[in-house]
Amino acid sequence: MSAQERHQAIVETLLTSGRVTVAELSARTGVSEMTIRRDLELLEREGLLQRVHGGAVSTVSGSYEPPFAVRVRQHADAKARIGAAAAELIGGNETVVVDAGTTALATARALRGRRQLTVCALSVPASTELADEPGIRLIAAGGDVRAGEHCFVGPLAERIFEELRFDTFVLSVGGADPETGLTDFNLDDVRVKRAAIGASRRRVVVADSTKLGRATFARIGPVQLADVLVTDERADPEQVAALRDAGLTVVLA
C-alpha cells in the first residue's frame, strides 16, 4: 500500500468511526506503527485529524461539507475513472467549463495532453492542472477565492457567463437525486454553477456513486438540467435506473 493509499484509508476510517488507533491502522495497512505515527503527524499538519494518545480522532464534522483536502482523498480511484470517462465525452475544438470540486479536478487532469480546447476553470487547482498545456487555451473565471476550497465565487466569477457561451459544462455536485434534484453545500458555489449552466449547451455531471440519491444543503436545480451523468460502477442500480427514467444519460466508469 502506497503512502497516498494509506492516507486515504486513514481519512476514510476516521470519517466512518471518528477515532482510530495506531495499532489498528498498522494491522490494516501492513506497515509499522512508526510509519503510521508519521502519517498521522503529516495529516494533522494538514488539519485532517487530531492526534491523541495511541491514535487519532477526526476533526471533520459530519454536518458540514468535508474540507477539500479530505474529499480529494475520498474515492480517488473512482474519481479518476469518472474524470477519464467525462474527458472522453469532450471532442476537439470544444469550449468547456470545468467546475470546482474534486471530481471535476480529476476531469481537468484527464484533459491534459489534449489539443484545440478552450477551458474555463472555476477553481485554482483546475487552473494549475491546465496552465502549462500547450494545446489548451485556459481561461480562469476569476472572482473571490473561497478559502479552503480554492474555487472562484462572487459576482466577478458569475459575470464571465454573461459574456461567453460554452459547449460543455463539467458540473460537480454534492448530491444527485431524481426527486430533490442536483444539490451542493455552499450557496456561493451554487450561484456560479447556475450561471455556468445557463451559458452552456451541454451539461455533464460528474459524481461518484456515494452522491446518488443524496441531497445536500443548497439546490442547484432539477436533475433534468443535466444531459449526462458520469458515475462509477458501484452505483446503486435502482438509483441509476431512476436517473435514466428522469431523462439523463448515465455513464458508468
Side-chain angles (χ1 to χ4, degrees):
M1 184 178 286
S2 69
Q4 181 178 353
E5 290 171 333
R6 287 199 314 274
H7 296 167
Q8 180 177 338
I10 292 168
V11 169
E12 289 183 354
T13 301
L14 283 170
L15 286 173
T16 302
S17 62
R19 185 183 185 99
V20 71
T21 68
V22 170
E24 289 170 346
L25 290 173
S26 176
R28 178 177 176 179
T29 60
V31 299
S32 70
E33 293 190 3
M34 182 177 295
T35 298
I36 293 297
R37 290 191 181 93
R38 286 197 294 266
D39 290 340
L40 295 180
E41 182 179 357
L42 185 151
L43 293 172
E44 184 179 49
R45 288 200 300 269
E46 295 185 16
L48 304 182
L49 55 81
Q50 179 182 348
R51 287 183 296 161
V52 296
H53 181 70
V57 295
S58 176
T59 58
V60 178
S61 168
S63 301
Y64 297 93
E65 179 182 24
F68 184 91
V70 171
R71 301 198 318 275
V72 78
R73 288 183 167 87
Q74 291 179 288
H75 318 296
D77 292 341
K79 290 175 181 178
R81 294 196 305 273
I82 293 167
E88 289 180 3
L89 299 175
I90 297 170
N93 297 306
E94 280 202 40
T95 54
V96 183
V97 183
V98 175
D99 202 358
T102 56
T103 314
L105 177 60
T107 306
R109 288 182 179 136
L111 290 174
R112 294 181 64 174
R114 297 284 293 274
R115 296 192 174 278
Q116 295 181 317
L117 287 182
T118 296
V119 178
C120 175
L122 298 186
S123 72
V124 174
S127 300
T128 301
E129 284 290 336
L130 300 174
D132 293 324
E133 290 297 306
I136 293 177
R137 178 188 181 191
L138 176 66
I139 302 170
D144 297 329
V145 176
R146 186 178 158 211
E149 290 298 303
H150 302 160
C151 57
F152 300 118
V153 295
L156 290 177
E158 297 168 38
R159 192 172 301 161
I160 191 171
F161 300 111
E162 298 175 6
E163 305 296 332
L164 300 176
R165 291 294 180 267
F166 295 87
D167 294 311
T168 301
F169 177 27
V170 178
L171 169 61
S172 181
V173 299
D177 179 77
E179 294 185 4
T180 308
L182 304 174
T183 55
D184 212 341
F185 291 92
N186 184 273
L187 288 170
D188 291 332
D189 289 349
V190 165
R191 281 190 283 268
V192 176
K193 293 175 193 292
R194 287 176 178 167
I197 286 170
S200 302
R201 177 179 55 83
R202 179 178 64 158
R203 298 85 176 236
V204 176
V205 172
V206 288
D208 70 72
S209 55
T210 65
K211 309 289 180 63
L212 305 191
R214 178 185 184 189
T216 55
F217 175 66
R219 190 168 187 264
I220 301 167
V223 292
Q224 289 81 6
L225 287 175
D227 301 291
V228 181
L229 184 141
V230 185
T231 188
D232 62 86
E233 60 187 5
R234 297 182 66 181
D236 185 316
E238 291 185 5
Q239 294 290 344
V240 172
L243 289 164
R244 284 175 172 156
D245 288 344
L248 275 68
T249 298
V250 180
V251 176
L252 299 179

